Amino acid sequence: MNSYIYSIKNLMIFFMIIFCNEVCGSRTFHVKNYDKNDIDTQVFSVPDGTYVIDPIQFSGPCQGQVTFQLDGTLQAPTGKIDANDWIKFHNVDGLIIQGSGTLNGEGDLAWVGHCPGCPPLTTSLTLSFVNNGHIKDITSLNSKGFHIKIINGGDTIIEHVTISAPGDSPNTDGIHTSGASNINILNSEIGTGDDCISIGGGSQNINITGVTCGPGHGISIGSIGKNTDDSSVTGVYVNGCTMSNTQNGVRIKTYTSDCMATVSDVTFQDITVDQSKNPIIIDQNYCGGHQECIGNSHVQVSDVKFIGVQGTSISPIAVKLQCSPEKPCEGIELDTISISLNDGGETTSSCSNVNVTYNGPQNPPTCSNSLHLNHM
Ligand SMILES: *[C@@H]1O[C@H](CO)[C@@H](O)[C@H](O)[C@H]1NC(C)=O
Ligand SMILES: *[C@@H]1O[C@H](CO)[C@@H](O)[C@H](O)[C@H]1NC(C)=O
C-alpha cells in the first residue's frame, strides 16, 4: 500500500508539472501554458507500475498536440464512485493516448446490485470535445460503466485497443459515440457485458473496421429517441467485423417516443456472426428492455444496407426488421445473407413496416410480407 501512495505522489507531480501550470490543487488540470517549444512537456507518461488515481480531468485548450503515454496501469478506486467520468480529456485539439498499459476501472464491486435501468456508472475514459484524437494499443479493463466514450468533437482514430469486462457486467459498453463525427474504430477486440460499440445520437461518419466483439450485445446504433431532443445519426460504415457469442450481431434500436430524429446511410458489410441471438435486427419497438412499450417510435430509419452477413444464430429469427408503423423504414437492402441455425434447424425472417430490397442469395428466406424488388 505504501508503494501505491508513493506512486500516486509521483504521478501527481507529473500531472502538476505538465498539465497544471495554472490551477494547482484542483482536480481540473489546465494544459494550455506549457512551453510549446519544449517537446518534452507535451508528453505525459505513466511508466510501468500500478497507480491508483481518483477521477481526473485534463482540460484544454492546449497550444499543441498532447501525448498521454500509458505504459503502466492506472487503477480506479474500488467500488462505486461519485463521478460520471474517471479519466476525462476535455476540449483538446490533437491528443494521442497510446502505450501497452491498462486502464483498470475496478468495476467488480461497483457492479454488485446495479439495477437494470439505473443510471450508468462511471465511464473509464471520456473524450469530450476532443478533435484529432488517436487512441492506440491501450487496454481498458473492467470499467465500472462504459469503457470509452467519445462525446462531441471528431476526426479521431481508435485502433488496436483491447477492451474487456465479463459478459454479465451491467452497462459496460465498449466504445460509445454521441455528437461526434469522423470517428474510425479499427482492428480492436472488445468483450463486455453490453454493447461492443454503441453509436448514439448526433454521430456522423463512423467507420468501424476489423473489430472483434464478444461477449456482449454486438454493434448497435442507438438507442435513439430516449430523449426527445436526440440528434440524428448519419453515415455509419461497419466492415469486416466478427461477433462471437453476442446477444445481437448488428442492430439499430430506436425508442417509442416523440423524438423525430433520423438514422440514415448505414452499411453493415462483411460481418461474421458466431452463435448470435439476433444476428440482424432493427428494433423500433424499444423502451429500455424492462417493460412493455407504449406508442410508436417517430425515428425515421432509411438507407440501411446489410451486405454479406454470414454465420450462425442461436434463435430461429435470424433477421428481424421491426420498423415503426409511424415511420416505416425506407431503403432497406439485404444482399447475400447466409445465417444458419446453430443446432441445425431453419432460420426465418420477420419484417414489419418495411419493404426490403433483396440481392443475392438469402438464408434465412426473405420476408413473405415484403416486396422482393431484386429477388434472386
Ligand atoms: C474505413 O476505414 C478503413 C480502414 O482505415 C478504410 O480502408 C476504409 O476506406 C474506410 N471506409 C470509409 C467508408 O470511410
Ligand atoms: C410497400 O410497398 C407497397 C407497394 O408499393 C406499398 O403499398 C406499401 O405502403 C409499402 N410499405 C412500406 C412499409 O413501405
Side-chain angles (χ1 to χ4, degrees):
M1 207 58 207
N2 267 341
S3 71
Y4 270 171
I5 293 164
Y6 181 69
S7 304
I8 295 165
K9 246 197 210 154
N10 280 348
L11 199 62
M12 296 320 281
I13 290 165
F14 269 117
F15 280 136
M16 287 196 282
I17 292 169
I18 293 154
F19 291 98
C20 190
N21 289 335
E22 225 177 49
V23 187
C24 289
S26 142
R27 281 260 165 256
T28 300
F29 296 85
H30 289 265
V31 284
K32 65 183 174 191
N33 285 336
Y34 62 81
D35 180 357
K36 68 178 172 190
N37 297 314
D38 180 354
I39 195 77
D40 288 343
T41 62
Q42 296 179 47
V43 179
F44 167 72
S45 120
V46 179
D48 278 351
T50 298
Y51 309 91
V52 178
I53 183 166
D54 282 335
I56 187 169
Q57 173 170 321
F58 300 96
S59 276
C62 309
Q63 289 172 6
Q65 182 171 278
V66 173
T67 299
F68 186 91
Q69 182 72 35
L70 181 70
D71 293 317
T73 295
L74 288 183
Q75 188 174 311
T78 56
K80 285 188 187 170
I81 55 176
D82 186 18
N84 292 329
D85 310 284
W86 174 36
I87 296 169
K88 179 173 179 179
F89 292 87
H90 175 70
N91 198 19
V92 178
D93 188 358
L95 170 68
I96 298 174
I97 299 176
Q98 65 182 8
S100 56
T102 297
L103 300 178
N104 181 354
E106 282 286 326
D108 320 45
L109 290 175
W111 301 326
V112 176
H114 183 69
C115 46
C118 280
L121 300 170
T122 309
T123 300
S124 276
L125 175 64
T126 300
L127 270 53
S128 133
F129 292 93
V130 168
N131 286 296
N132 299 304
H134 196 167
I135 302 179
K136 57 182 171 187
D137 304 331
I138 65 166
T139 296
S140 177
L141 180 68
N142 294 344
S143 56
K144 299 178 197 298
F146 290 6
H147 284 261
I148 299 177
K149 234 186 206 175
I150 311 291
I151 312 170
N152 302 308
D155 297 305
T156 288
I157 300 170
I158 302 177
E159 62 183 334
H160 297 120
V161 299
T162 304
I163 294 178
S164 173
D168 59 357
S169 56
N171 298 123
T172 50
D173 291 37
I175 300 173
H176 176 78
T177 66
S178 69
S181 48
N182 306 324
I183 307 296
N184 285 258
I185 302 171
L186 313 173
N187 305 324
S188 292
E189 284 197 27
I190 303 175
T192 72
D194 208 299
D195 291 333
C196 172
I197 297 171
S198 56
I199 298 164
S203 301
Q204 291 184 22
N205 297 328
I206 311 294
N207 178 350
I208 300 169
T209 296
V211 173
T212 300
C213 299
H217 295 182
I219 294 179
S220 248
I221 297 177
S223 330
I224 307 298
K226 182 175 187 181
N227 307 307
T228 43
D229 61 352
D230 273 355
S231 312
S232 297
V233 173
T234 188
V236 178
Y237 178 72
V238 181
N239 179 43
C241 294
T242 299
M243 313 284 150
S244 291
N245 297 296
T246 53
Q247 184 197 74
N248 308 289
V250 286
R251 168 166 70 160
I252 298 174
K253 60 175 171 172
T254 76
Y255 256 73
T256 51
S257 75
D258 292 334
C259 174
M260 299 281 281
T262 63
V263 173
S264 62
D265 189 14
V266 176
T267 301
F268 298 104
Q269 186 166 10
D270 187 14
I271 306 293
T272 300
V273 290
D274 178 15
Q275 304 191 41
S276 172
K277 189 168 167 218
N278 305 299
I280 292 178
I281 177 167
I282 296 177
D283 181 4
Q284 293 210 266
N285 189 33
Y286 184 80
C287 53
H290 313 294
Q291 74 257 29
E292 280 284 298
C293 299
I294 299 163
N296 297 316
S297 176
H298 288 66
V299 175
Q300 175 72 62
V301 175
S302 60
D303 301 319
V304 180
K305 295 185 172 76
F306 300 90
I307 306 170
V309 181
Q310 54 113 9
T312 57
S313 177
I314 58 165
S315 82
I317 305 179
V319 173
K320 192 171 188 176
L321 307 174
Q322 203 93 56
C323 296
S324 171
E326 193 69 42
K327 294 281 172 87
C329 294
E330 290 171 359
I332 309 297
E333 183 179 327
L334 267 72
D335 185 341
T336 316
I337 307 298
S338 171
I339 305 168
S340 53
L341 199 56
N342 190 50
D343 62 13
E346 298 289 309
T347 51
T348 61
S349 300
S350 156
C351 302
S352 40
N353 307 303
V354 56
N355 285 333
V356 181
T357 303
Y358 291 99
N359 282 305
Q362 301 287 329
N363 180 31
T366 59
C367 278
S368 52
N369 60 342
S370 261
L371 274 190
H372 304 166
L373 299 176
N374 298 317
H375 187 197
M376 294 165 67

